[in-house]
Amino acid sequence: MNTASLLNNINYQENKPSVTVLLQTKTSKEVRIVMRKGQAMKEHKAPFPIIIELFDGTLDFGINGKSQILKKGDLIALDENIPHDLTCISDCIVRLSVSKYDSIERINATL
């Protein structure tokens, strides 16, 4: 059994979002991204399907160049290779579920 918390040891960085792997299972990695208002992740694609949960805050989530506002509690699932970007409207805590084969280095490269 693995356990983790989205709320423990939160570290907002002043110059870019903070990415933390909270736990890994046989099939996935659960990642926390914390962002201050105005911080962003540039457009990128994931090589595997992903699920994003906005745990707290407000986020402008761009998909193929179209903006969608996500609010606390919203979930969104994307298939692999869908261009998307994130801009934080108010301080955010994001839970990102990715394949265990995906790399945290790839996620950090979008910051």
Side-chain angles (χ1 to χ4, degrees), residues 24-88:
Q24 185 169 328
T25 71
K26 290 180 181 180
T27 59
S28 69
K29 293 176 188 167
E30 299 301 321
V31 178
R32 177 183 61 207
I33 303 170
V34 293
M35 303 171 75
R36 290 271 186 214
K37 179 180 178 179
Q39 292 180 340
M41 297 176 75
K42 63 186 175 188
E43 186 176 79
H44 58 282
K45 299 176 187 178
F48 303 96
I50 61 172
I51 299 173
I52 297 111
E53 173 192 3
L54 187 55
F55 186 77
D56 197 21
T58 308
L59 192 63
D60 184 342
F61 193 86
I63 303 171
N64 284 320
K66 294 182 182 177
S67 177
Q68 179 173 346
I69 302 300
L70 300 181
K71 296 178 183 170
K72 180 178 179 175
D74 287 346
L75 292 163
I76 191 164
L78 292 180
D79 288 331
E80 67 278 2
N81 298 314
I82 303 295
H84 59 283
D85 60 85
L86 297 79
T87 302
C88 186

Short mmCIF file of all heavy atoms in Angstrom, two decimals, residues 24-88:
data_model
loop_
_atom_site.label_atom_id
_atom_site.label_comp_id
_atom_site.label_asym_id
_atom_site.label_seq_id
_atom_site.Cartn_x
_atom_site.Cartn_y
_atom_site.Cartn_z
N GLN A 24 4.04 6.32 -6.75
CA GLN A 24 4.05 5.56 -8.00
C GLN A 24 3.43 4.20 -7.75
O GLN A 24 3.70 3.58 -6.73
CB GLN A 24 5.47 5.42 -8.53
CG GLN A 24 5.54 4.75 -9.88
CD GLN A 24 6.92 4.84 -10.52
OE1 GLN A 24 7.64 5.80 -10.32
NE2 GLN A 24 7.26 3.84 -11.30
N THR A 25 2.60 3.76 -8.69
CA THR A 25 1.99 2.43 -8.61
C THR A 25 2.56 1.58 -9.75
O THR A 25 3.44 2.04 -10.48
CB THR A 25 0.46 2.52 -8.75
OG1 THR A 25 0.13 2.85 -10.10
CG2 THR A 25 -0.14 3.52 -7.77
N LYS A 26 2.01 0.41 -9.93
CA LYS A 26 2.45 -0.46 -11.03
C LYS A 26 2.14 0.14 -12.39
O LYS A 26 2.78 -0.19 -13.39
CB LYS A 26 1.79 -1.83 -10.93
CG LYS A 26 2.27 -2.66 -9.78
CD LYS A 26 1.56 -4.00 -9.77
CE LYS A 26 2.01 -4.84 -8.60
NZ LYS A 26 1.33 -6.15 -8.59
N THR A 27 1.15 1.04 -12.46
CA THR A 27 0.73 1.58 -13.75
C THR A 27 0.82 3.09 -13.88
O THR A 27 0.77 3.61 -14.98
CB THR A 27 -0.73 1.18 -14.05
OG1 THR A 27 -1.57 1.69 -13.01
CG2 THR A 27 -0.89 -0.34 -14.14
N SER A 28 0.94 3.81 -12.75
CA SER A 28 0.88 5.27 -12.84
C SER A 28 1.81 5.97 -11.86
O SER A 28 2.31 5.36 -10.91
CB SER A 28 -0.55 5.76 -12.60
OG SER A 28 -0.91 5.56 -11.24
N LYS A 29 2.00 7.26 -12.14
CA LYS A 29 2.65 8.18 -11.21
C LYS A 29 1.63 9.24 -10.86
O LYS A 29 0.94 9.75 -11.75
CB LYS A 29 3.87 8.85 -11.85
CG LYS A 29 5.02 7.92 -12.14
CD LYS A 29 6.13 8.67 -12.86
CE LYS A 29 7.19 7.67 -13.31
NZ LYS A 29 8.12 8.25 -14.26
N GLU A 30 1.53 9.56 -9.60
CA GLU A 30 0.66 10.64 -9.14
C GLU A 30 1.55 11.82 -8.81
O GLU A 30 2.45 11.73 -7.97
CB GLU A 30 -0.16 10.21 -7.93
CG GLU A 30 -1.07 9.02 -8.21
CD GLU A 30 -2.07 9.26 -9.34
OE1 GLU A 30 -2.61 10.39 -9.41
OE2 GLU A 30 -2.31 8.34 -10.13
N VAL A 31 1.31 12.93 -9.51
CA VAL A 31 2.19 14.09 -9.45
C VAL A 31 1.39 15.29 -8.94
O VAL A 31 0.24 15.49 -9.34
CB VAL A 31 2.75 14.40 -10.86
CG1 VAL A 31 3.62 15.64 -10.85
CG2 VAL A 31 3.50 13.20 -11.41
N ARG A 32 2.01 16.08 -8.07
CA ARG A 32 1.40 17.34 -7.62
C ARG A 32 2.16 18.49 -8.29
O ARG A 32 3.38 18.53 -8.27
CB ARG A 32 1.49 17.48 -6.10
CG ARG A 32 0.92 18.82 -5.62
CD ARG A 32 1.05 19.01 -4.13
NE ARG A 32 2.45 18.97 -3.76
CZ ARG A 32 2.88 18.59 -2.56
NH1 ARG A 32 2.05 18.20 -1.63
NH2 ARG A 32 4.17 18.59 -2.30
N ILE A 33 1.38 19.40 -8.87
CA ILE A 33 1.95 20.62 -9.44
C ILE A 33 1.32 21.78 -8.67
O ILE A 33 0.09 21.89 -8.61
CB ILE A 33 1.64 20.75 -10.94
CG1 ILE A 33 2.16 19.53 -11.70
CG2 ILE A 33 2.22 22.05 -11.50
CD1 ILE A 33 1.70 19.44 -13.14
N VAL A 34 2.15 22.62 -8.05
CA VAL A 34 1.64 23.81 -7.38
C VAL A 34 2.13 25.03 -8.14
O VAL A 34 3.28 25.10 -8.55
CB VAL A 34 2.01 23.87 -5.88
CG1 VAL A 34 1.30 22.77 -5.11
CG2 VAL A 34 3.50 23.77 -5.65
N MET A 35 1.20 25.94 -8.36
CA MET A 35 1.48 27.11 -9.19
C MET A 35 0.95 28.36 -8.51
O MET A 35 -0.15 28.35 -7.96
CB MET A 35 0.79 26.96 -10.55
CG MET A 35 1.16 25.72 -11.32
SD MET A 35 0.13 25.46 -12.81
CE MET A 35 0.82 26.69 -13.89
N ARG A 36 1.71 29.42 -8.59
CA ARG A 36 1.26 30.74 -8.15
C ARG A 36 0.51 31.41 -9.28
O ARG A 36 0.73 31.11 -10.47
CB ARG A 36 2.45 31.62 -7.76
CG ARG A 36 3.15 31.20 -6.51
CD ARG A 36 2.51 31.86 -5.34
NE ARG A 36 3.27 31.57 -4.13
CZ ARG A 36 2.69 31.42 -2.96
NH1 ARG A 36 1.38 31.56 -2.84
NH2 ARG A 36 3.42 31.16 -1.91
N LYS A 37 -0.35 32.35 -8.94
CA LYS A 37 -1.07 33.13 -9.93
C LYS A 37 -0.08 33.69 -10.96
O LYS A 37 0.96 34.23 -10.61
CB LYS A 37 -1.80 34.28 -9.24
CG LYS A 37 -2.56 35.17 -10.18
CD LYS A 37 -3.26 36.28 -9.43
CE LYS A 37 -3.99 37.19 -10.40
NZ LYS A 37 -4.70 38.27 -9.70
N GLY A 38 -0.39 33.50 -12.24
CA GLY A 38 0.44 34.01 -13.32
C GLY A 38 1.48 33.02 -13.84
O GLY A 38 2.00 33.20 -14.94
N GLN A 39 1.78 31.98 -13.08
CA GLN A 39 2.74 30.98 -13.57
C GLN A 39 2.08 30.12 -14.63
O GLN A 39 0.86 29.98 -14.67
CB GLN A 39 3.26 30.13 -12.42
CG GLN A 39 4.13 30.91 -11.46
CD GLN A 39 4.65 30.07 -10.31
OE1 GLN A 39 4.12 29.02 -9.98
NE2 GLN A 39 5.71 30.56 -9.67
N ALA A 40 2.90 29.52 -15.49
CA ALA A 40 2.36 28.76 -16.61
C ALA A 40 3.23 27.57 -16.96
O ALA A 40 4.41 27.51 -16.58
CB ALA A 40 2.22 29.67 -17.83
N MET A 41 2.64 26.65 -17.67
CA MET A 41 3.35 25.54 -18.31
C MET A 41 3.10 25.69 -19.80
O MET A 41 1.94 25.71 -20.23
CB MET A 41 2.86 24.19 -17.78
CG MET A 41 3.12 24.01 -16.29
SD MET A 41 2.45 22.46 -15.63
CE MET A 41 3.64 21.29 -16.29
N LYS A 42 4.18 25.81 -20.58
CA LYS A 42 4.03 26.05 -22.01
C LYS A 42 3.37 24.85 -22.71
O LYS A 42 3.31 23.76 -22.15
CB LYS A 42 5.38 26.37 -22.63
CG LYS A 42 6.38 25.24 -22.55
CD LYS A 42 7.75 25.67 -23.04
CE LYS A 42 8.75 24.55 -22.82
NZ LYS A 42 10.11 24.97 -23.09
N GLU A 43 2.92 25.09 -23.93
CA GLU A 43 2.24 24.02 -24.67
C GLU A 43 3.16 22.81 -24.81
O GLU A 43 4.35 22.94 -25.12
CB GLU A 43 1.81 24.52 -26.05
CG GLU A 43 0.97 23.48 -26.78
CD GLU A 43 0.44 23.96 -28.10
OE1 GLU A 43 1.22 23.96 -29.08
OE2 GLU A 43 -0.74 24.34 -28.14
N HIS A 44 2.58 21.66 -24.58
CA HIS A 44 3.31 20.40 -24.66
C HIS A 44 2.32 19.27 -24.93
O HIS A 44 1.13 19.48 -24.94
CB HIS A 44 4.09 20.15 -23.35
CG HIS A 44 3.21 20.11 -22.14
ND1 HIS A 44 2.70 21.25 -21.54
CD2 HIS A 44 2.73 19.06 -21.42
CE1 HIS A 44 1.96 20.91 -20.50
NE2 HIS A 44 1.95 19.59 -20.41
N LYS A 45 2.86 18.07 -25.15
CA LYS A 45 2.05 16.87 -25.36
C LYS A 45 2.58 15.79 -24.42
O LYS A 45 3.78 15.71 -24.18
CB LYS A 45 2.19 16.37 -26.79
CG LYS A 45 1.74 17.33 -27.86
CD LYS A 45 2.01 16.74 -29.23
CE LYS A 45 1.73 17.73 -30.34
NZ LYS A 45 2.05 17.16 -31.65
N ALA A 46 1.68 14.96 -23.93
CA ALA A 46 2.08 13.81 -23.13
C ALA A 46 2.10 12.57 -24.04
O ALA A 46 1.20 12.40 -24.87
CB ALA A 46 1.11 13.60 -21.98
N PRO A 47 3.08 11.70 -23.87
CA PRO A 47 3.17 10.53 -24.75
C PRO A 47 2.17 9.42 -24.40
O PRO A 47 2.04 8.45 -25.13
CB PRO A 47 4.61 10.05 -24.54
CG PRO A 47 4.97 10.53 -23.18
CD PRO A 47 4.23 11.82 -22.98
N PHE A 48 1.49 9.58 -23.27
CA PHE A 48 0.49 8.61 -22.80
C PHE A 48 -0.73 9.41 -22.32
O PHE A 48 -0.62 10.60 -22.04
CB PHE A 48 1.05 7.78 -21.64
CG PHE A 48 2.31 7.05 -21.96
CD1 PHE A 48 3.55 7.59 -21.64
CD2 PHE A 48 2.27 5.82 -22.59
CE1 PHE A 48 4.72 6.92 -21.93
CE2 PHE A 48 3.45 5.13 -22.89
CZ PHE A 48 4.67 5.68 -22.57
N PRO A 49 -1.89 8.76 -22.19
CA PRO A 49 -3.06 9.47 -21.65
C PRO A 49 -2.77 10.01 -20.24
O PRO A 49 -1.98 9.43 -19.49
CB PRO A 49 -4.15 8.39 -21.59
CG PRO A 49 -3.74 7.39 -22.63
CD PRO A 49 -2.23 7.38 -22.58
N ILE A 50 -3.42 11.14 -19.90
CA ILE A 50 -3.25 11.76 -18.59
C ILE A 50 -4.61 12.15 -18.02
O ILE A 50 -5.58 12.29 -18.76
CB ILE A 50 -2.35 13.02 -18.64
CG1 ILE A 50 -2.97 14.10 -19.55
CG2 ILE A 50 -0.94 12.67 -19.07
CD1 ILE A 50 -2.25 15.44 -19.51
N ILE A 51 -4.65 12.31 -16.70
CA ILE A 51 -5.83 12.84 -16.01
C ILE A 51 -5.35 13.98 -15.13
O ILE A 51 -4.36 13.84 -14.40
CB ILE A 51 -6.55 11.78 -15.17
CG1 ILE A 51 -7.03 10.64 -16.07
CG2 ILE A 51 -7.71 12.40 -14.39
CD1 ILE A 51 -7.60 9.46 -15.31
N ILE A 52 -6.05 15.11 -15.21
CA ILE A 52 -5.72 16.28 -14.41
C ILE A 52 -6.89 16.57 -13.49
O ILE A 52 -8.04 16.61 -13.95
CB ILE A 52 -5.45 17.52 -15.31
CG1 ILE A 52 -4.24 17.28 -16.20
CG2 ILE A 52 -5.26 18.78 -14.47
CD1 ILE A 52 -4.60 17.16 -17.62
N GLU A 53 -6.61 16.75 -12.21
CA GLU A 53 -7.61 17.19 -11.25
C GLU A 53 -7.15 18.51 -10.67
O GLU A 53 -6.03 18.62 -10.19
CB GLU A 53 -7.75 16.19 -10.11
CG GLU A 53 -8.66 16.69 -9.00
CD GLU A 53 -8.60 15.86 -7.72
OE1 GLU A 53 -7.82 14.91 -7.65
OE2 GLU A 53 -9.35 16.20 -6.79
N LEU A 54 -8.01 19.51 -10.74
CA LEU A 54 -7.69 20.78 -10.10
C LEU A 54 -8.19 20.69 -8.67
O LEU A 54 -9.39 20.78 -8.41
CB LEU A 54 -8.30 21.96 -10.84
CG LEU A 54 -7.86 23.32 -10.32
CD1 LEU A 54 -6.34 23.47 -10.32
CD2 LEU A 54 -8.49 24.44 -11.11
N PHE A 55 -7.27 20.47 -7.75
CA PHE A 55 -7.61 20.28 -6.34
C PHE A 55 -7.97 21.60 -5.68
O PHE A 55 -8.84 21.66 -4.82
CB PHE A 55 -6.43 19.61 -5.62
CG PHE A 55 -6.72 19.25 -4.20
CD1 PHE A 55 -7.49 18.14 -3.89
CD2 PHE A 55 -6.23 20.02 -3.16
CE1 PHE A 55 -7.77 17.81 -2.58
CE2 PHE A 55 -6.50 19.70 -1.84
CZ PHE A 55 -7.28 18.59 -1.56
N ASP A 56 -7.29 22.68 -6.11
CA ASP A 56 -7.57 24.00 -5.55
C ASP A 56 -7.16 25.07 -6.55
O ASP A 56 -6.23 24.87 -7.32
CB ASP A 56 -6.80 24.20 -4.24
CG ASP A 56 -7.34 25.34 -3.40
OD1 ASP A 56 -8.50 25.75 -3.60
OD2 ASP A 56 -6.60 25.84 -2.53
N GLY A 57 -7.87 26.19 -6.55
CA GLY A 57 -7.52 27.31 -7.40
C GLY A 57 -8.34 27.38 -8.67
O GLY A 57 -9.36 26.71 -8.82
N THR A 58 -7.84 28.19 -9.61
CA THR A 58 -8.47 28.37 -10.92
C THR A 58 -7.38 28.34 -11.97
O THR A 58 -6.32 28.95 -11.81
CB THR A 58 -9.23 29.71 -11.00
OG1 THR A 58 -10.11 29.81 -9.88
CG2 THR A 58 -10.04 29.82 -12.27
N LEU A 59 -7.64 27.64 -13.06
CA LEU A 59 -6.63 27.39 -14.07
C LEU A 59 -7.21 27.61 -15.46
O LEU A 59 -8.33 27.20 -15.74
CB LEU A 59 -6.19 25.92 -13.93
CG LEU A 59 -4.98 25.41 -14.64
CD1 LEU A 59 -3.72 26.11 -14.16
CD2 LEU A 59 -4.84 23.92 -14.39
N ASP A 60 -6.45 28.28 -16.32
CA ASP A 60 -6.80 28.39 -17.73
C ASP A 60 -6.09 27.24 -18.43
O ASP A 60 -4.86 27.21 -18.52
CB ASP A 60 -6.34 29.74 -18.29
CG ASP A 60 -6.75 29.95 -19.74
OD1 ASP A 60 -7.08 28.97 -20.43
OD2 ASP A 60 -6.72 31.10 -20.18
N PHE A 61 -6.87 26.27 -18.89
CA PHE A 61 -6.33 25.07 -19.50
C PHE A 61 -6.56 25.14 -20.99
O PHE A 61 -7.70 25.13 -21.45
CB PHE A 61 -7.02 23.83 -18.90
CG PHE A 61 -6.35 22.54 -19.22
CD1 PHE A 61 -5.31 22.07 -18.45
CD2 PHE A 61 -6.76 21.79 -20.31
CE1 PHE A 61 -4.69 20.87 -18.74
CE2 PHE A 61 -6.14 20.59 -20.61
CZ PHE A 61 -5.10 20.13 -19.82
N GLY A 62 -5.50 25.26 -21.75
CA GLY A 62 -5.60 25.35 -23.20
C GLY A 62 -5.47 23.97 -23.84
O GLY A 62 -4.58 23.21 -23.50
N ILE A 63 -6.39 23.67 -24.75
CA ILE A 63 -6.35 22.40 -25.48
C ILE A 63 -6.42 22.73 -26.96
O ILE A 63 -7.39 23.33 -27.43
CB ILE A 63 -7.53 21.48 -25.11
CG1 ILE A 63 -7.55 21.23 -23.60
CG2 ILE A 63 -7.45 20.17 -25.88
CD1 ILE A 63 -8.80 20.53 -23.12
N ASN A 64 -5.35 22.37 -27.69
CA ASN A 64 -5.30 22.69 -29.12
C ASN A 64 -5.57 24.16 -29.38
O ASN A 64 -6.26 24.52 -30.33
CB ASN A 64 -6.28 21.82 -29.91
CG ASN A 64 -5.79 20.41 -30.09
OD1 ASN A 64 -4.62 20.17 -30.34
ND2 ASN A 64 -6.69 19.46 -29.97
N GLY A 65 -5.08 25.04 -28.51
CA GLY A 65 -5.23 26.47 -28.69
C GLY A 65 -6.55 27.05 -28.20
O GLY A 65 -6.77 28.25 -28.30
N LYS A 66 -7.45 26.21 -27.67
CA LYS A 66 -8.74 26.70 -27.15
C LYS A 66 -8.70 26.67 -25.62
O LYS A 66 -8.32 25.67 -25.02
CB LYS A 66 -9.89 25.84 -27.66
CG LYS A 66 -10.08 25.95 -29.15
CD LYS A 66 -11.26 25.13 -29.62
CE LYS A 66 -11.40 25.22 -31.14
NZ LYS A 66 -12.49 24.39 -31.62
N SER A 67 -9.13 27.78 -25.03
CA SER A 67 -9.07 27.95 -23.59
C SER A 67 -10.30 27.36 -22.89
O SER A 67 -11.43 27.50 -23.37
CB SER A 67 -8.98 29.44 -23.26
OG SER A 67 -8.99 29.65 -21.88
N GLN A 68 -10.05 26.69 -21.77
CA GLN A 68 -11.12 26.18 -20.92
C GLN A 68 -10.75 26.51 -19.48
O GLN A 68 -9.64 26.18 -19.04
CB GLN A 68 -11.29 24.68 -21.11
CG GLN A 68 -12.36 24.09 -20.23
CD GLN A 68 -12.62 22.63 -20.56
OE1 GLN A 68 -12.20 22.10 -21.58
NE2 GLN A 68 -13.33 21.97 -19.67
N ILE A 69 -11.65 27.15 -18.74
CA ILE A 69 -11.37 27.50 -17.35
C ILE A 69 -11.73 26.31 -16.47
O ILE A 69 -12.86 25.80 -16.52
CB ILE A 69 -12.17 28.74 -16.91
CG1 ILE A 69 -11.84 29.94 -17.81
CG2 ILE A 69 -11.90 29.06 -15.43
CD1 ILE A 69 -10.39 30.36 -17.81
N LEU A 70 -10.74 25.86 -15.68
CA LEU A 70 -10.97 24.80 -14.70
C LEU A 70 -11.02 25.42 -13.32
O LEU A 70 -10.22 26.31 -13.00
CB LEU A 70 -9.85 23.75 -14.76
CG LEU A 70 -9.65 23.02 -16.07
CD1 LEU A 70 -8.51 22.01 -15.92
CD2 LEU A 70 -10.92 22.31 -16.51
N LYS A 71 -11.95 24.95 -12.50
CA LYS A 71 -12.11 25.43 -11.14
C LYS A 71 -11.92 24.28 -10.17
O LYS A 71 -11.95 23.10 -10.57
CB LYS A 71 -13.49 26.05 -10.95
CG LYS A 71 -13.69 27.28 -11.82
CD LYS A 71 -15.07 27.85 -11.66
CE LYS A 71 -15.24 29.04 -12.60
NZ LYS A 71 -16.60 29.49 -12.68
N LYS A 72 -11.74 24.62 -8.91
CA LYS A 72 -11.53 23.64 -7.85
C LYS A 72 -12.50 22.46 -8.01
O LYS A 72 -13.70 22.65 -8.16
CB LYS A 72 -11.75 24.32 -6.50
CG LYS A 72 -11.56 23.42 -5.32
CD LYS A 72 -11.75 24.19 -4.04
CE LYS A 72 -11.58 23.28 -2.84
NZ LYS A 72 -11.65 24.04 -1.58
N GLY A 73 -11.92 21.26 -8.04
CA GLY A 73 -12.72 20.04 -8.15
C GLY A 73 -12.90 19.51 -9.55
O GLY A 73 -13.35 18.38 -9.73
N ASP A 74 -12.56 20.30 -10.57
CA ASP A 74 -12.74 19.85 -11.96
C ASP A 74 -11.70 18.79 -12.33
O ASP A 74 -10.56 18.83 -11.87
CB ASP A 74 -12.62 21.03 -12.93
CG ASP A 74 -13.83 21.95 -12.89
OD1 ASP A 74 -14.87 21.57 -12.32
OD2 ASP A 74 -13.74 23.06 -13.44
N LEU A 75 -12.12 17.88 -13.18
CA LEU A 75 -11.26 16.83 -13.73
C LEU A 75 -11.28 16.94 -15.25
O LEU A 75 -12.30 17.30 -15.83
CB LEU A 75 -11.78 15.44 -13.35
CG LEU A 75 -11.72 15.02 -11.91
CD1 LEU A 75 -12.63 13.83 -11.67
CD2 LEU A 75 -10.29 14.67 -11.55
N ILE A 76 -10.17 16.58 -15.85
CA ILE A 76 -10.11 16.53 -17.31
C ILE A 76 -9.17 15.39 -17.69
O ILE A 76 -8.14 15.18 -17.06
CB ILE A 76 -9.67 17.88 -17.93
CG1 ILE A 76 -9.88 17.87 -19.43
CG2 ILE A 76 -8.26 18.24 -17.54
CD1 ILE A 76 -9.84 19.25 -20.05
N ALA A 77 -9.55 14.62 -18.70
CA ALA A 77 -8.72 13.52 -19.20
C ALA A 77 -8.35 13.82 -20.64
O ALA A 77 -9.18 14.30 -21.42
CB ALA A 77 -9.48 12.20 -19.11
N LEU A 78 -7.09 13.56 -20.98
CA LEU A 78 -6.61 13.76 -22.35
C LEU A 78 -5.95 12.49 -22.85
O LEU A 78 -5.21 11.82 -22.11
CB LEU A 78 -5.57 14.88 -22.40
CG LEU A 78 -6.02 16.31 -22.12
CD1 LEU A 78 -4.83 17.24 -22.23
CD2 LEU A 78 -7.11 16.74 -23.07
N ASP A 79 -6.20 12.18 -24.10
CA ASP A 79 -5.47 11.10 -24.75
C ASP A 79 -4.04 11.55 -25.01
O ASP A 79 -3.71 12.73 -24.89
CB ASP A 79 -6.13 10.70 -26.07
CG ASP A 79 -7.44 9.95 -25.85
OD1 ASP A 79 -7.58 9.27 -24.82
OD2 ASP A 79 -8.32 10.07 -26.73
N GLU A 80 -3.20 10.63 -25.39
CA GLU A 80 -1.80 10.95 -25.69
C GLU A 80 -1.71 11.90 -26.88
O GLU A 80 -2.60 11.94 -27.73
CB GLU A 80 -0.99 9.68 -25.95
CG GLU A 80 -1.37 8.93 -27.19
CD GLU A 80 -2.57 8.00 -27.04
OE1 GLU A 80 -3.20 7.93 -25.98
OE2 GLU A 80 -2.89 7.34 -28.05
N ASN A 81 -0.64 12.69 -26.88
CA ASN A 81 -0.27 13.58 -27.98
C ASN A 81 -1.29 14.69 -28.28
O ASN A 81 -1.36 15.17 -29.42
CB ASN A 81 0.02 12.77 -29.25
CG ASN A 81 1.19 11.84 -29.04
OD1 ASN A 81 2.23 12.25 -28.50
ND2 ASN A 81 1.03 10.59 -29.41
N ILE A 82 -2.03 15.14 -27.27
CA ILE A 82 -2.94 16.28 -27.41
C ILE A 82 -2.21 17.52 -26.91
O ILE A 82 -1.84 17.58 -25.74
CB ILE A 82 -4.25 16.07 -26.62
CG1 ILE A 82 -4.96 14.78 -27.03
CG2 ILE A 82 -5.15 17.29 -26.73
CD1 ILE A 82 -5.47 14.76 -28.44
N PRO A 83 -1.99 18.54 -27.74
CA PRO A 83 -1.32 19.75 -27.29
C PRO A 83 -2.15 20.47 -26.22
O PRO A 83 -3.36 20.67 -26.40
CB PRO A 83 -1.21 20.62 -28.54
CG PRO A 83 -1.43 19.69 -29.69
CD PRO A 83 -2.31 18.60 -29.17
N HIS A 84 -1.49 20.82 -25.12
CA HIS A 84 -2.18 21.54 -24.05
C HIS A 84 -1.20 22.42 -23.29
O HIS A 84 0.01 22.19 -23.33
CB HIS A 84 -2.90 20.57 -23.10
CG HIS A 84 -2.01 19.57 -22.44
ND1 HIS A 84 -1.52 18.45 -23.08
CD2 HIS A 84 -1.49 19.53 -21.19
CE1 HIS A 84 -0.76 17.76 -22.27
NE2 HIS A 84 -0.72 18.40 -21.10
N ASP A 85 -1.73 23.45 -22.63
CA ASP A 85 -0.93 24.35 -21.83
C ASP A 85 -1.75 24.76 -20.61
O ASP A 85 -2.97 24.59 -20.59
CB ASP A 85 -0.51 25.58 -22.64
CG ASP A 85 -1.69 26.36 -23.15
OD1 ASP A 85 -2.20 27.21 -22.40
OD2 ASP A 85 -2.12 26.12 -24.30
N LEU A 86 -1.08 25.29 -19.59
CA LEU A 86 -1.74 25.69 -18.36
C LEU A 86 -1.27 27.07 -17.95
O LEU A 86 -0.06 27.35 -18.00
CB LEU A 86 -1.40 24.73 -17.22
CG LEU A 86 -1.81 23.27 -17.31
CD1 LEU A 86 -0.88 22.48 -18.20
CD2 LEU A 86 -1.83 22.65 -15.94
N THR A 87 -2.21 27.92 -17.53
CA THR A 87 -1.88 29.22 -16.95
C THR A 87 -2.70 29.36 -15.67
O THR A 87 -3.93 29.21 -15.69
CB THR A 87 -2.21 30.37 -17.92
OG1 THR A 87 -1.48 30.18 -19.13
CG2 THR A 87 -1.83 31.71 -17.30
N CYS A 88 -2.02 29.65 -14.59
CA CYS A 88 -2.65 29.74 -13.28
C CYS A 88 -3.33 31.10 -13.11
O CYS A 88 -2.69 32.13 -13.22
CB CYS A 88 -1.59 29.52 -12.21
SG CYS A 88 -2.25 29.44 -10.55
#
